[in-house]
Amino acid sequence: ETGVLLLRACLALLAMPIYLLAFLGIWKPFCKKVFFPYFLEKISAIHNKKTHRQKQELFRNLPEFAGASGELKLLEIGTGCGANFQFYPPGCKVTCTDINPHFQQSLTRNMKQNQHLHYERFIVAAAEDLSPVPSGSVDAVVCTLVLCSVLDVDKVLREVLRVLRPGGIFYFLEHVAADRSSWKYFWQQSCFPTWKLVFAGCCLTREIWKNLEQANFSELKLQHISVPLAWTPIKPHIIGYAVK
């Protein structure tokens, strides 16, 4: 604990200008409008390269979950800049949601690059409250690198179950807490406060697999993987899908 506190203090000193801006009420709106959209686009490109094979395999069975009409209706939670669009099958009807409306430039660019999809609408909404989406109205829900920063993971999963039709599928890829006895977890604990401030509420030590295991899904396929993101505390990930 002493080592963690010492490293936290060192990181806080290095990030003192950001702490000062946060104290003055300047950092949060700047982060939301400028810094985080820019950062997310850059990190998403790197993350996609590191997980390209895993994402291809993850979404491979998406066409099997099309509805009776043959159309595949997909809801993406926390769409951000649209990093997952390239992995969706042609003709897929995509509804995008995000709590942050300031991704227009990169999101529009990704939409133009992925015209094999049909984009239905963009909803500005928190993941915990997807009330604009009717219950049982979508065949698939996708959530990648989002559950780390929501306020209530369990509430998000309840919303996922609500909007999915019976037999629908939920795909996830999230960074999570490392093993508690590992140096990775020590590094995550040390970085936690400053990381959360700088990166829009992103939490490093969530054990999201436990929330998924306790949610009311009829089937859960979950795998722990390590994504080689050098010099970051977000290497441990979980990937998989769950069926309603």
Side-chain angles (χ1 to χ4, degrees), residues 39-101:
F39 168 80
L40 187 63
E41 183 176 14
K42 302 303 180 185
I43 195 67
S44 293
I46 297 170
H47 193 270
N48 262 358
K49 289 180 181 178
K50 302 290 187 181
T51 60
H52 191 270
R53 181 181 58 80
Q54 289 92 338
K55 280 191 174 184
Q56 279 187 322
E57 179 62 23
L58 176 66
F59 296 121
R60 181 178 54 83
N61 65 345
L62 246 178
E64 299 174 14
F65 289 88
S69 65
E71 294 181 338
L72 178 65
K73 295 182 179 180
L74 184 149
L75 172 71
E76 181 163 355
I77 299 174
T79 306
C81 56
N84 293 319
F85 292 162
Q86 61 181 292
F87 301 100
Y88 300 157
C92 179
K93 292 189 172 183
V94 181
T95 296
C96 305
T97 75
D98 206 292
I99 195 172
N100 188 344

Side-chain angles (χ1 to χ4, degrees), residues 77-79 126-128 130 141-160 170-177 200-213 215 217 220 222 238 240:
I77 299 174
T79 306
E128 294 90 343
L130 301 172
V141 176
V142 173
C143 186
T144 62
L145 302 183
V146 173
L147 296 178
C148 58
S149 55
V150 300
L151 296 179
D152 189 329
V153 175
D154 292 327
K155 194 170 182 180
V156 175
L157 296 178
R158 287 195 293 271
E159 278 292 85
V160 169
F170 171 54
Y171 295 94
F172 55 87
L173 173 60
E174 300 287 340
H175 71 81
V176 294
C202 176
C203 296
L204 294 171
T205 56
R206 286 186 174 172
E207 298 174 329
I208 298 169
W209 64 90
K210 293 182 179 180
N211 302 90
L212 286 161
E213 289 167 353
F217 289 104
L220 175 64
L222 184 152
I238 55 170

